[in-house]
Amino acid sequence: MDGSTPQSPAEQHIDFDQVIDRRNTNSNKWDKMERLYGVSADDGLAMWVADMDFRSADCIVRAAREIADFGVFGYMDDEAPYRAAICWWMQNRHGWTIDPDWIFTTTGLVNAVGLCLDTYTKPGDGVVIFTPVYHAFARTITAAGRRVAECPLVNTAGRYEMDFDAYDAQMTGGETMLILCSPHNPGGRVWTRAELQGLADFAKRHDLMIVSDEIHHDLVFAGSQHIPMPLVDTGIIDRLIMLTAPSKTFNVAGNHTGNVIIQDPDLRARFKARMSALSLAGNTFGTAMTTAAYSPEGAVWVDAVVAYLDENRKLLDAGLNAIPGVTSMAMEATYLAWVDFAGTGMSAEEFTRRVNENAKIAVNLGPSFGTGGETFLRFNFGTRRALVQEAVERMQAAFDDLQ
């Protein structure tokens, strides 16, 4: 990494209030919501799938433009700068020292989860997830012919906690892996060191591999601190697979570039063999954009977007919590609000209908996140503030009979 002074937000022309119309741009988030939720993009708000409506950092756009302008898209030669950028980011942003040789590049992190299942488990094995949690985990486990072992989180006064005594009692001996979402999606929890140590001890007691998906680790609000799993307990290195990516942080999910970081040499050799057997590798745009993102200039952009998202969070929480019976779970990270409608006394069909049809907002349905999600909807507030304010007004109008 160079030692140049990073550009300030003003110098980078960062404007998260910029109006960017993503309709009819082959945007999954905006152009697919009518098919899935019956919400037209003409007058609806897309607050479901987890990408943001912001233009990516200038350094990323420059990197992609340089490749496009050159116009030749041949094979890559040297991944050293890309790997160095990842090492720099983990050290400087998370206090985690890694070696370039520990890094494998996958086609995003859902692909990484699938590869971990393929490499380290067998058909029929139980895979533990802590529900409600990111819906792709269960989908991928099932598709791989493994068994989903749900360990429900405990909702204690609007805050998710783990109950390892209960989880110990659930284990059958057929479980071989657990997948952790840290920070947690959809609950927005940043797990404490004590909680992560409890998880490490649980994995050791039941001889479970740990796959720690830390894709949201850069989007943490003031007052909370994310701790990478390897820094919790050196005694789990021989069972730990780390997953990271720039996609959520920098709004570059479409480049499908994720990283599997494995410290233990034996686990690394097994994963490398599977990657080689499947002939998997990164892509030119993904590696160039990641290299540009994981830089001092990228860090300035991240600090700015987290500050902006925090204000969006406060606006959405205040507006939704003002609706009787509706509770937006207090968030410590991510741009995904987890909103409970249990207090309204309405059926899931009714409160979802009001959100989709009356408020004309497309959101993720709680049951897709597993046990514990039955009375929830997930709202993505990674958009310009005017649309968050509009969402609040629409929601309050849709439930005005409760006021």
Side-chain angles (χ1 to χ4, degrees), residues 188-224:
R189 273 299 317 277
V190 175
W191 306 113
T192 65
R193 181 176 291 276
E195 288 171 319
L196 294 173
Q197 184 62 63
L199 182 132
D201 293 340
F202 171 72
K204 286 186 279 189
R205 281 196 301 275
H206 299 282
D207 194 20
L208 303 174
M209 290 282 300
I210 301 172
V211 175
S212 188
D213 181 346
E214 305 195 4
I215 196 170
H216 293 280
H217 62 174
D218 294 308
L219 303 174
V220 175
F221 302 125
S224 297

PDB file of all heavy atoms in Angstrom, residues 188-224:
ATOM      1  N   GLY A 188     -28.435  -7.324  13.736  1.00  0.00           N
ATOM      2  CA  GLY A 188     -27.568  -6.174  13.934  1.00  0.00           C
ATOM      3  C   GLY A 188     -26.678  -6.259  15.160  1.00  0.00           C
ATOM      4  O   GLY A 188     -26.091  -5.251  15.571  1.00  0.00           O
ATOM      5  N   ARG A 189     -26.544  -7.450  15.756  1.00  0.00           N
ATOM      6  CA  ARG A 189     -25.697  -7.598  16.938  1.00  0.00           C
ATOM      7  C   ARG A 189     -24.215  -7.639  16.556  1.00  0.00           C
ATOM      8  O   ARG A 189     -23.817  -8.277  15.588  1.00  0.00           O
ATOM      9  CB  ARG A 189     -26.005  -8.921  17.670  1.00  0.00           C
ATOM     10  CG  ARG A 189     -27.130  -8.900  18.686  1.00  0.00           C
ATOM     11  CD  ARG A 189     -26.910  -7.944  19.839  1.00  0.00           C
ATOM     12  NE  ARG A 189     -25.551  -7.974  20.365  1.00  0.00           N
ATOM     13  CZ  ARG A 189     -25.090  -8.851  21.256  1.00  0.00           C
ATOM     14  NH1 ARG A 189     -25.882  -9.802  21.724  1.00  0.00           N
ATOM     15  NH2 ARG A 189     -23.846  -8.782  21.697  1.00  0.00           N
ATOM     16  N   VAL A 190     -23.399  -6.972  17.389  1.00  0.00           N
ATOM     17  CA  VAL A 190     -21.958  -7.151  17.367  1.00  0.00           C
ATOM     18  C   VAL A 190     -21.644  -8.003  18.590  1.00  0.00           C
ATOM     19  O   VAL A 190     -21.794  -7.551  19.729  1.00  0.00           O
ATOM     20  CB  VAL A 190     -21.220  -5.803  17.429  1.00  0.00           C
ATOM     21  CG1 VAL A 190     -19.714  -6.022  17.524  1.00  0.00           C
ATOM     22  CG2 VAL A 190     -21.546  -4.959  16.193  1.00  0.00           C
ATOM     23  N   TRP A 191     -21.244  -9.236  18.349  1.00  0.00           N
ATOM     24  CA  TRP A 191     -21.035 -10.158  19.465  1.00  0.00           C
ATOM     25  C   TRP A 191     -19.863  -9.713  20.328  1.00  0.00           C
ATOM     26  O   TRP A 191     -18.835  -9.248  19.818  1.00  0.00           O
ATOM     27  CB  TRP A 191     -20.779 -11.578  18.945  1.00  0.00           C
ATOM     28  CG  TRP A 191     -21.833 -12.090  18.021  1.00  0.00           C
ATOM     29  CD1 TRP A 191     -21.710 -12.366  16.691  1.00  0.00           C
ATOM     30  CD2 TRP A 191     -23.207 -12.387  18.360  1.00  0.00           C
ATOM     31  NE1 TRP A 191     -22.903 -12.812  16.183  1.00  0.00           N
ATOM     32  CE2 TRP A 191     -23.847 -12.833  17.177  1.00  0.00           C
ATOM     33  CE3 TRP A 191     -23.958 -12.317  19.536  1.00  0.00           C
ATOM     34  CZ2 TRP A 191     -25.188 -13.209  17.148  1.00  0.00           C
ATOM     35  CZ3 TRP A 191     -25.293 -12.697  19.509  1.00  0.00           C
ATOM     36  CH2 TRP A 191     -25.897 -13.136  18.329  1.00  0.00           C
ATOM     37  N   THR A 192     -20.006  -9.839  21.645  1.00  0.00           N
ATOM     38  CA  THR A 192     -18.943  -9.461  22.571  1.00  0.00           C
ATOM     39  C   THR A 192     -17.871 -10.543  22.601  1.00  0.00           C
ATOM     40  O   THR A 192     -18.071 -11.673  22.143  1.00  0.00           O
ATOM     41  CB  THR A 192     -19.498  -9.287  23.989  1.00  0.00           C
ATOM     42  OG1 THR A 192     -19.985 -10.559  24.468  1.00  0.00           O
ATOM     43  CG2 THR A 192     -20.649  -8.274  24.018  1.00  0.00           C
ATOM     44  N   ARG A 193     -16.742 -10.188  23.180  1.00  0.00           N
ATOM     45  CA  ARG A 193     -15.664 -11.182  23.306  1.00  0.00           C
ATOM     46  C   ARG A 193     -16.139 -12.383  24.130  1.00  0.00           C
ATOM     47  O   ARG A 193     -15.823 -13.540  23.804  1.00  0.00           O
ATOM     48  CB  ARG A 193     -14.433 -10.551  23.960  1.00  0.00           C
ATOM     49  CG  ARG A 193     -13.253 -11.518  24.094  1.00  0.00           C
ATOM     50  CD  ARG A 193     -12.029 -10.819  24.666  1.00  0.00           C
ATOM     51  NE  ARG A 193     -11.479  -9.863  23.713  1.00  0.00           N
ATOM     52  CZ  ARG A 193     -10.648 -10.167  22.732  1.00  0.00           C
ATOM     53  NH1 ARG A 193     -10.269 -11.439  22.542  1.00  0.00           N
ATOM     54  NH2 ARG A 193     -10.177  -9.224  21.940  1.00  0.00           N
ATOM     55  N   ALA A 194     -16.902 -12.128  25.191  1.00  0.00           N
ATOM     56  CA  ALA A 194     -17.389 -13.232  26.025  1.00  0.00           C
ATOM     57  C   ALA A 194     -18.319 -14.144  25.232  1.00  0.00           C
ATOM     58  O   ALA A 194     -18.268 -15.375  25.363  1.00  0.00           O
ATOM     59  CB  ALA A 194     -18.104 -12.680  27.258  1.00  0.00           C
ATOM     60  N   GLU A 195     -19.182 -13.566  24.412  1.00  0.00           N
ATOM     61  CA  GLU A 195     -20.087 -14.382  23.599  1.00  0.00           C
ATOM     62  C   GLU A 195     -19.323 -15.212  22.580  1.00  0.00           C
ATOM     63  O   GLU A 195     -19.623 -16.399  22.357  1.00  0.00           O
ATOM     64  CB  GLU A 195     -21.100 -13.478  22.897  1.00  0.00           C
ATOM     65  CG  GLU A 195     -22.143 -12.901  23.844  1.00  0.00           C
ATOM     66  CD  GLU A 195     -22.995 -11.837  23.190  1.00  0.00           C
ATOM     67  OE1 GLU A 195     -22.461 -11.006  22.424  1.00  0.00           O
ATOM     68  OE2 GLU A 195     -24.218 -11.826  23.452  1.00  0.00           O
ATOM     69  N   LEU A 196     -18.325 -14.595  21.956  1.00  0.00           N
ATOM     70  CA  LEU A 196     -17.532 -15.330  20.967  1.00  0.00           C
ATOM     71  C   LEU A 196     -16.704 -16.424  21.621  1.00  0.00           C
ATOM     72  O   LEU A 196     -16.506 -17.499  21.046  1.00  0.00           O
ATOM     73  CB  LEU A 196     -16.639 -14.352  20.195  1.00  0.00           C
ATOM     74  CG  LEU A 196     -17.388 -13.345  19.315  1.00  0.00           C
ATOM     75  CD1 LEU A 196     -16.418 -12.318  18.740  1.00  0.00           C
ATOM     76  CD2 LEU A 196     -18.152 -14.044  18.194  1.00  0.00           C
ATOM     77  N   GLN A 197     -16.213 -16.159  22.846  1.00  0.00           N
ATOM     78  CA  GLN A 197     -15.489 -17.209  23.568  1.00  0.00           C
ATOM     79  C   GLN A 197     -16.432 -18.359  23.905  1.00  0.00           C
ATOM     80  O   GLN A 197     -16.049 -19.547  23.824  1.00  0.00           O
ATOM     81  CB  GLN A 197     -14.876 -16.651  24.851  1.00  0.00           C
ATOM     82  CG  GLN A 197     -14.021 -17.654  25.616  1.00  0.00           C
ATOM     83  CD  GLN A 197     -12.817 -18.122  24.819  1.00  0.00           C
ATOM     84  OE1 GLN A 197     -11.950 -17.321  24.477  1.00  0.00           O
ATOM     85  NE2 GLN A 197     -12.756 -19.417  24.500  1.00  0.00           N
ATOM     86  N   GLY A 198     -17.673 -18.020  24.265  1.00  0.00           N
ATOM     87  CA  GLY A 198     -18.657 -19.062  24.524  1.00  0.00           C
ATOM     88  C   GLY A 198     -18.895 -19.920  23.297  1.00  0.00           C
ATOM     89  O   GLY A 198     -19.032 -21.150  23.391  1.00  0.00           O
ATOM     90  N   LEU A 199     -18.936 -19.287  22.124  1.00  0.00           N
ATOM     91  CA  LEU A 199     -19.113 -20.041  20.891  1.00  0.00           C
ATOM     92  C   LEU A 199     -17.900 -20.922  20.606  1.00  0.00           C
ATOM     93  O   LEU A 199     -18.046 -22.074  20.185  1.00  0.00           O
ATOM     94  CB  LEU A 199     -19.364 -19.077  19.730  1.00  0.00           C
ATOM     95  CG  LEU A 199     -19.605 -19.771  18.393  1.00  0.00           C
ATOM     96  CD1 LEU A 199     -20.842 -19.201  17.704  1.00  0.00           C
ATOM     97  CD2 LEU A 199     -18.399 -19.620  17.480  1.00  0.00           C
ATOM     98  N   ALA A 200     -16.702 -20.383  20.846  1.00  0.00           N
ATOM     99  CA  ALA A 200     -15.486 -21.179  20.641  1.00  0.00           C
ATOM    100  C   ALA A 200     -15.484 -22.405  21.542  1.00  0.00           C
ATOM    101  O   ALA A 200     -15.154 -23.521  21.110  1.00  0.00           O
ATOM    102  CB  ALA A 200     -14.254 -20.316  20.911  1.00  0.00           C
ATOM    103  N   ASP A 201     -15.879 -22.221  22.798  1.00  0.00           N
ATOM    104  CA  ASP A 201     -15.917 -23.345  23.735  1.00  0.00           C
ATOM    105  C   ASP A 201     -16.972 -24.370  23.309  1.00  0.00           C
ATOM    106  O   ASP A 201     -16.749 -25.589  23.418  1.00  0.00           O
ATOM    107  CB  ASP A 201     -16.219 -22.836  25.144  1.00  0.00           C
ATOM    108  CG  ASP A 201     -15.090 -21.976  25.714  1.00  0.00           C
ATOM    109  OD1 ASP A 201     -13.952 -22.081  25.211  1.00  0.00           O
ATOM    110  OD2 ASP A 201     -15.359 -21.194  26.649  1.00  0.00           O
ATOM    111  N   PHE A 202     -18.110 -23.894  22.838  1.00  0.00           N
ATOM    112  CA  PHE A 202     -19.178 -24.773  22.356  1.00  0.00           C
ATOM    113  C   PHE A 202     -18.667 -25.621  21.186  1.00  0.00           C
ATOM    114  O   PHE A 202     -18.895 -26.839  21.125  1.00  0.00           O
ATOM    115  CB  PHE A 202     -20.368 -23.914  21.928  1.00  0.00           C
ATOM    116  CG  PHE A 202     -21.466 -24.635  21.217  1.00  0.00           C
ATOM    117  CD1 PHE A 202     -22.321 -25.499  21.900  1.00  0.00           C
ATOM    118  CD2 PHE A 202     -21.675 -24.441  19.850  1.00  0.00           C
ATOM    119  CE1 PHE A 202     -23.350 -26.162  21.242  1.00  0.00           C
ATOM    120  CE2 PHE A 202     -22.703 -25.098  19.184  1.00  0.00           C
ATOM    121  CZ  PHE A 202     -23.541 -25.958  19.882  1.00  0.00           C
ATOM    122  N   ALA A 203     -17.957 -24.980  20.262  1.00  0.00           N
ATOM    123  CA  ALA A 203     -17.423 -25.710  19.105  1.00  0.00           C
ATOM    124  C   ALA A 203     -16.414 -26.767  19.536  1.00  0.00           C
ATOM    125  O   ALA A 203     -16.392 -27.880  18.991  1.00  0.00           O
ATOM    126  CB  ALA A 203     -16.778 -24.721  18.131  1.00  0.00           C
ATOM    127  N   LYS A 204     -15.589 -26.437  20.523  1.00  0.00           N
ATOM    128  CA  LYS A 204     -14.610 -27.419  20.995  1.00  0.00           C
ATOM    129  C   LYS A 204     -15.287 -28.587  21.708  1.00  0.00           C
ATOM    130  O   LYS A 204     -14.885 -29.745  21.533  1.00  0.00           O
ATOM    131  CB  LYS A 204     -13.583 -26.729  21.911  1.00  0.00           C
ATOM    132  CG  LYS A 204     -12.594 -25.854  21.141  1.00  0.00           C
ATOM    133  CD  LYS A 204     -11.495 -25.288  22.024  1.00  0.00           C
ATOM    134  CE  LYS A 204     -11.935 -24.066  22.786  1.00  0.00           C
ATOM    135  NZ  LYS A 204     -10.806 -23.389  23.477  1.00  0.00           N
ATOM    136  N   ARG A 205     -16.331 -28.283  22.492  1.00  0.00           N
ATOM    137  CA  ARG A 205     -17.033 -29.353  23.215  1.00  0.00           C
ATOM    138  C   ARG A 205     -17.649 -30.366  22.262  1.00  0.00           C
ATOM    139  O   ARG A 205     -17.694 -31.568  22.548  1.00  0.00           O
ATOM    140  CB  ARG A 205     -18.149 -28.760  24.089  1.00  0.00           C
ATOM    141  CG  ARG A 205     -17.699 -28.152  25.380  1.00  0.00           C
ATOM    142  CD  ARG A 205     -18.851 -27.952  26.353  1.00  0.00           C
ATOM    143  NE  ARG A 205     -19.924 -27.110  25.860  1.00  0.00           N
ATOM    144  CZ  ARG A 205     -19.946 -25.777  25.926  1.00  0.00           C
ATOM    145  NH1 ARG A 205     -18.901 -25.128  26.451  1.00  0.00           N
ATOM    146  NH2 ARG A 205     -20.976 -25.089  25.476  1.00  0.00           N
ATOM    147  N   HIS A 206     -18.128 -29.883  21.120  1.00  0.00           N
ATOM    148  CA  HIS A 206     -18.851 -30.756  20.200  1.00  0.00           C
ATOM    149  C   HIS A 206     -18.069 -31.053  18.921  1.00  0.00           C
ATOM    150  O   HIS A 206     -18.622 -31.612  17.976  1.00  0.00           O
ATOM    151  CB  HIS A 206     -20.208 -30.136  19.871  1.00  0.00           C
ATOM    152  CG  HIS A 206     -21.082 -29.966  21.085  1.00  0.00           C
ATOM    153  ND1 HIS A 206     -21.764 -31.018  21.644  1.00  0.00           N
ATOM    154  CD2 HIS A 206     -21.334 -28.878  21.854  1.00  0.00           C
ATOM    155  CE1 HIS A 206     -22.424 -30.571  22.714  1.00  0.00           C
ATOM    156  NE2 HIS A 206     -22.186 -29.288  22.863  1.00  0.00           N
ATOM    157  N   ASP A 207     -16.782 -30.679  18.927  1.00  0.00           N
ATOM    158  CA  ASP A 207     -15.882 -30.957  17.804  1.00  0.00           C
ATOM    159  C   ASP A 207     -16.473 -30.455  16.485  1.00  0.00           C
ATOM    160  O   ASP A 207     -16.597 -31.208  15.506  1.00  0.00           O
ATOM    161  CB  ASP A 207     -15.574 -32.453  17.712  1.00  0.00           C
ATOM    162  CG  ASP A 207     -14.392 -32.746  16.799  1.00  0.00           C
ATOM    163  OD1 ASP A 207     -13.592 -31.822  16.546  1.00  0.00           O
ATOM    164  OD2 ASP A 207     -14.278 -33.891  16.318  1.00  0.00           O
ATOM    165  N   LEU A 208     -16.807 -29.170  16.470  1.00  0.00           N
ATOM    166  CA  LEU A 208     -17.408 -28.558  15.295  1.00  0.00           C
ATOM    167  C   LEU A 208     -16.409 -27.650  14.579  1.00  0.00           C
ATOM    168  O   LEU A 208     -15.678 -26.893  15.222  1.00  0.00           O
ATOM    169  CB  LEU A 208     -18.627 -27.711  15.698  1.00  0.00           C
ATOM    170  CG  LEU A 208     -19.752 -28.412  16.456  1.00  0.00           C
ATOM    171  CD1 LEU A 208     -20.797 -27.394  16.886  1.00  0.00           C
ATOM    172  CD2 LEU A 208     -20.373 -29.504  15.601  1.00  0.00           C
ATOM    173  N   MET A 209     -16.389 -27.710  13.273  1.00  0.00           N
ATOM    174  CA  MET A 209     -15.708 -26.690  12.485  1.00  0.00           C
ATOM    175  C   MET A 209     -16.465 -25.380  12.650  1.00  0.00           C
ATOM    176  O   MET A 209     -17.690 -25.374  12.820  1.00  0.00           O
ATOM    177  CB  MET A 209     -15.714 -27.081  11.003  1.00  0.00           C
ATOM    178  CG  MET A 209     -14.832 -28.250  10.645  1.00  0.00           C
ATOM    179  SD  MET A 209     -13.099 -27.738  10.562  1.00  0.00           S
ATOM    180  CE  MET A 209     -13.153 -26.496   9.277  1.00  0.00           C
ATOM    181  N   ILE A 210     -15.743 -24.265  12.604  1.00  0.00           N
ATOM    182  CA  ILE A 210     -16.366 -22.941  12.689  1.00  0.00           C
ATOM    183  C   ILE A 210     -16.148 -22.224  11.368  1.00  0.00           C
ATOM    184  O   ILE A 210     -15.002 -22.013  10.943  1.00  0.00           O
ATOM    185  CB  ILE A 210     -15.769 -22.087  13.817  1.00  0.00           C
ATOM    186  CG1 ILE A 210     -15.930 -22.777  15.176  1.00  0.00           C
ATOM    187  CG2 ILE A 210     -16.411 -20.697  13.838  1.00  0.00           C
ATOM    188  CD1 ILE A 210     -15.182 -22.075  16.298  1.00  0.00           C
ATOM    189  N   VAL A 211     -17.224 -21.836  10.713  1.00  0.00           N
ATOM    190  CA  VAL A 211     -17.159 -20.952   9.551  1.00  0.00           C
ATOM    191  C   VAL A 211     -17.715 -19.610  10.008  1.00  0.00           C
ATOM    192  O   VAL A 211     -18.906 -19.493  10.321  1.00  0.00           O
ATOM    193  CB  VAL A 211     -17.971 -21.504   8.365  1.00  0.00           C
ATOM    194  CG1 VAL A 211     -17.982 -20.502   7.222  1.00  0.00           C
ATOM    195  CG2 VAL A 211     -17.398 -22.839   7.906  1.00  0.00           C
ATOM    196  N   SER A 212     -16.853 -18.612  10.094  1.00  0.00           N
ATOM    197  CA  SER A 212     -17.255 -17.307  10.600  1.00  0.00           C
ATOM    198  C   SER A 212     -17.414 -16.327   9.437  1.00  0.00           C
ATOM    199  O   SER A 212     -16.435 -15.877   8.839  1.00  0.00           O
ATOM    200  CB  SER A 212     -16.224 -16.771  11.602  1.00  0.00           C
ATOM    201  OG  SER A 212     -16.703 -15.599  12.227  1.00  0.00           O
ATOM    202  N   ASP A 213     -18.667 -16.021   9.115  1.00  0.00           N
ATOM    203  CA  ASP A 213     -18.987 -15.084   8.036  1.00  0.00           C
ATOM    204  C   ASP A 213     -18.998 -13.677   8.624  1.00  0.00           C
ATOM    205  O   ASP A 213     -19.916 -13.306   9.350  1.00  0.00           O
ATOM    206  CB  ASP A 213     -20.348 -15.448   7.443  1.00  0.00           C
ATOM    207  CG  ASP A 213     -20.756 -14.533   6.289  1.00  0.00           C
ATOM    208  OD1 ASP A 213     -20.123 -13.467   6.120  1.00  0.00           O
ATOM    209  OD2 ASP A 213     -21.715 -14.863   5.582  1.00  0.00           O
ATOM    210  N   GLU A 214     -17.973 -12.897   8.282  1.00  0.00           N
ATOM    211  CA  GLU A 214     -17.808 -11.559   8.866  1.00  0.00           C
ATOM    212  C   GLU A 214     -17.948 -10.466   7.809  1.00  0.00           C
ATOM    213  O   GLU A 214     -17.283  -9.438   7.844  1.00  0.00           O
ATOM    214  CB  GLU A 214     -16.480 -11.495   9.620  1.00  0.00           C
ATOM    215  CG  GLU A 214     -16.384 -12.619  10.660  1.00  0.00           C
ATOM    216  CD  GLU A 214     -15.294 -12.478  11.705  1.00  0.00           C
ATOM    217  OE1 GLU A 214     -14.585 -11.437  11.713  1.00  0.00           O
ATOM    218  OE2 GLU A 214     -15.158 -13.406  12.538  1.00  0.00           O
ATOM    219  N   ILE A 215     -18.880 -10.683   6.886  1.00  0.00           N
ATOM    220  CA  ILE A 215     -19.041  -9.782   5.748  1.00  0.00           C
ATOM    221  C   ILE A 215     -19.454  -8.371   6.150  1.00  0.00           C
ATOM    222  O   ILE A 215     -19.147  -7.405   5.458  1.00  0.00           O
ATOM    223  CB  ILE A 215     -20.039 -10.384   4.731  1.00  0.00           C
ATOM    224  CG1 ILE A 215     -19.931  -9.678   3.376  1.00  0.00           C
ATOM    225  CG2 ILE A 215     -21.458 -10.334   5.269  1.00  0.00           C
ATOM    226  CD1 ILE A 215     -20.709 -10.381   2.270  1.00  0.00           C
ATOM    227  N   HIS A 216     -20.138  -8.227   7.295  1.00  0.00           N
ATOM    228  CA  HIS A 216     -20.605  -6.906   7.735  1.00  0.00           C
ATOM    229  C   HIS A 216     -19.639  -6.257   8.733  1.00  0.00           C
ATOM    230  O   HIS A 216     -20.009  -5.281   9.396  1.00  0.00           O
ATOM    231  CB  HIS A 216     -21.988  -7.029   8.377  1.00  0.00           C
ATOM    232  CG  HIS A 216     -23.074  -7.430   7.421  1.00  0.00           C
ATOM    233  ND1 HIS A 216     -23.694  -6.534   6.568  1.00  0.00           N
ATOM    234  CD2 HIS A 216     -23.655  -8.624   7.183  1.00  0.00           C
ATOM    235  CE1 HIS A 216     -24.619  -7.165   5.854  1.00  0.00           C
ATOM    236  NE2 HIS A 216     -24.607  -8.433   6.191  1.00  0.00           N
ATOM    237  N   HIS A 217     -18.421  -6.744   8.835  1.00  0.00           N
ATOM    238  CA  HIS A 217     -17.531  -6.315   9.919  1.00  0.00           C
ATOM    239  C   HIS A 217     -17.080  -4.870   9.842  1.00  0.00           C
ATOM    240  O   HIS A 217     -16.604  -4.323  10.840  1.00  0.00           O
ATOM    241  CB  HIS A 217     -16.311  -7.251  10.007  1.00  0.00           C
ATOM    242  CG  HIS A 217     -15.435  -7.264   8.788  1.00  0.00           C
ATOM    243  ND1 HIS A 217     -14.243  -7.949   8.755  1.00  0.00           N
ATOM    244  CD2 HIS A 217     -15.565  -6.705   7.557  1.00  0.00           C
ATOM    245  CE1 HIS A 217     -13.686  -7.813   7.568  1.00  0.00           C
ATOM    246  NE2 HIS A 217     -14.463  -7.070   6.838  1.00  0.00           N
ATOM    247  N   ASP A 218     -17.201  -4.229   8.698  1.00  0.00           N
ATOM    248  CA  ASP A 218     -16.798  -2.826   8.575  1.00  0.00           C
ATOM    249  C   ASP A 218     -17.928  -1.861   8.878  1.00  0.00           C
ATOM    250  O   ASP A 218     -17.686  -0.668   9.059  1.00  0.00           O
ATOM    251  CB  ASP A 218     -16.292  -2.547   7.149  1.00  0.00           C
ATOM    252  CG  ASP A 218     -15.012  -3.292   6.822  1.00  0.00           C
ATOM    253  OD1 ASP A 218     -14.056  -3.186   7.609  1.00  0.00           O
ATOM    254  OD2 ASP A 218     -14.980  -3.994   5.804  1.00  0.00           O
ATOM    255  N   LEU A 219     -19.155  -2.353   8.933  1.00  0.00           N
ATOM    256  CA  LEU A 219     -20.328  -1.489   9.074  1.00  0.00           C
ATOM    257  C   LEU A 219     -20.825  -1.529  10.512  1.00  0.00           C
ATOM    258  O   LEU A 219     -21.935  -1.965  10.818  1.00  0.00           O
ATOM    259  CB  LEU A 219     -21.419  -1.919   8.099  1.00  0.00           C
ATOM    260  CG  LEU A 219     -20.989  -1.925   6.621  1.00  0.00           C
ATOM    261  CD1 LEU A 219     -22.096  -2.500   5.755  1.00  0.00           C
ATOM    262  CD2 LEU A 219     -20.611  -0.522   6.159  1.00  0.00           C
ATOM    263  N   VAL A 220     -19.982  -1.053  11.428  1.00  0.00           N
ATOM    264  CA  VAL A 220     -20.249  -1.098  12.866  1.00  0.00           C
ATOM    265  C   VAL A 220     -20.390   0.322  13.391  1.00  0.00           C
ATOM    266  O   VAL A 220     -19.557   1.183  13.094  1.00  0.00           O
ATOM    267  CB  VAL A 220     -19.112  -1.849  13.596  1.00  0.00           C
ATOM    268  CG1 VAL A 220     -19.315  -1.807  15.103  1.00  0.00           C
ATOM    269  CG2 VAL A 220     -19.035  -3.296  13.107  1.00  0.00           C
ATOM    270  N   PHE A 221     -21.430   0.553  14.174  1.00  0.00           N
ATOM    271  CA  PHE A 221     -21.714   1.897  14.671  1.00  0.00           C
ATOM    272  C   PHE A 221     -20.925   2.209  15.945  1.00  0.00           C
ATOM    273  O   PHE A 221     -20.471   1.300  16.657  1.00  0.00           O
ATOM    274  CB  PHE A 221     -23.215   2.064  14.916  1.00  0.00           C
ATOM    275  CG  PHE A 221     -24.046   1.812  13.686  1.00  0.00           C
ATOM    276  CD1 PHE A 221     -25.074   0.881  13.698  1.00  0.00           C
ATOM    277  CD2 PHE A 221     -23.785   2.493  12.506  1.00  0.00           C
ATOM    278  CE1 PHE A 221     -25.829   0.636  12.563  1.00  0.00           C
ATOM    279  CE2 PHE A 221     -24.533   2.258  11.362  1.00  0.00           C
ATOM    280  CZ  PHE A 221     -25.558   1.325  11.390  1.00  0.00           C
ATOM    281  N   ALA A 222     -20.791   3.497  16.232  1.00  0.00           N
ATOM    282  CA  ALA A 222     -20.048   3.955  17.403  1.00  0.00           C
ATOM    283  C   ALA A 222     -20.617   3.316  18.673  1.00  0.00           C
ATOM    284  O   ALA A 222     -21.831   3.187  18.834  1.00  0.00           O
ATOM    285  CB  ALA A 222     -20.131   5.477  17.502  1.00  0.00           C
ATOM    286  N   GLY A 223     -19.709   2.915  19.553  1.00  0.00           N
ATOM    287  CA  GLY A 223     -20.114   2.280  20.797  1.00  0.00           C
ATOM    288  C   GLY A 223     -19.964   0.779  20.781  1.00  0.00           C
ATOM    289  O   GLY A 223     -20.067   0.133  21.829  1.00  0.00           O
ATOM    290  N   SER A 224     -19.736   0.197  19.598  1.00  0.00           N
ATOM    291  CA  SER A 224     -19.533  -1.246  19.473  1.00  0.00           C
ATOM    292  C   SER A 224     -18.214  -1.510  18.750  1.00  0.00           C
ATOM    293  O   SER A 224     -17.762  -0.680  17.960  1.00  0.00           O
ATOM    294  CB  SER A 224     -20.681  -1.903  18.694  1.00  0.00           C
ATOM    295  OG  SER A 224     -21.901  -1.747  19.375  1.00  0.00           O
TER     296      SER A 224
END
